[in-house]
Amino acid sequence: MTTDPTTQTLAQLGDTTPEKVTARFAEVRVRFDRQAGEHSAKKDAEEWKGFVVAWTGRKSGVLTNVGDNWLKPAAKELKPIVGQEFQKLKAHVEATLEEKRKEIEAAAEEAAAARDQVDLSLPGVERAIGTRHLIRQTFDELLRIFLSIGFSVVEGPEIETPYYNFEALNIPEHHPARDNMDTFYIEGSHAGHLLRTHTSPMQIRTMEKQAPPVRIVVPGKVYRRDNPDSTHGYMFHQIEGLAVDTDITFCDFKGTVQYFVREFLGPKAKTRLRPSYFPFTEPSAEVDATCHVCGGTGCRVCKFSGWIELFGAGMVNPAVYGFVKYDAEKLSGFAFGMGVDRLAMMKYGITELPLLFQNDVRFLRQFP
Ligand code: PHE
């Protein structure tokens, strides 16, 4: 660039004839055309700007230099030809730059359009929204049935006192019924707090708070120190039921249970009550239903008995009313407690309880 002839006057360059002037302009034009060609190939925005400034910049662009150094101080007789050549060069440079600018802009637009293009034929992004867990689904189904006949839902604490979990349910301290409910006690609790072994404490809590009539179901988690195997864990789910009023009979109990079984297992299911024992019900019963697999004729699932055990229940033991200051002379009622996990496994033919808690989507997907 130091030898750029446009920084010198024509006199300094020794261009004293019109021919030499024309040749000198031709030289500049060739230089411009070569550089313009290089730049349009690169299309780098910064480089392009630099190129434009180098040629048309007001301060020391080539055109300005030609005007200042060649035209202005030109000898009188050369001035017309210098002026003419200058105008030609100027017009050529400006036209070329304008043309290239349009080209570059169009190319940039095209590239941007290609980048932004949305292909509407491509499949969209699908986000799985998941499903309700089978336990939740079973809860919903069970609660729906009881809500449909006038029960309402209440929930209670998972950490209980021995009073609510045992005493008030007519299970005194050394009662053998405490043994088959191996209990987790909370370490360091002076009150002997424990993880509830069943949802039955909510019978007491509800009756303490509420005058009869009572018609509640209680969904929730319960905990027992069982050895884990294919049907046992340290936690499972129950739904407790309690109905107390002035005129509830064993027939109401049986009718409610029957209605429930038909709703849950289908209209063909039959119900059977088998004598059982719970300290807080008297009489107590195990509720069985005809096997949902064979319909009662006997198969492997029901161990060829035709019956499947569903849950424990009974008429509320009048001794319980004493703990909640209900009038045992006037009131009667029934209660039940069902294992939700057990019912889900039975209904859906699941033989391994742990599957319900491992949350393997290959398992969960089977219950959309
Ligand atoms: N609480 C009992 C259990 O967990 C079930 C039950 C509830 C039985 C209510 C009768 C009445 O085994």
Side-chain angles (χ1 to χ4, degrees), residues 181 197-198 200 203 224 238 240-241 278 280-281 312-314 335-337:
M181 286 194 179
T197 58
H198 50 179
S200 302
Q203 292 189 28
R224 288 185 202 176
Q238 283 192 333
E240 188 82 9
F278 299 100
F280 38 92
T281 48
F336 54 84

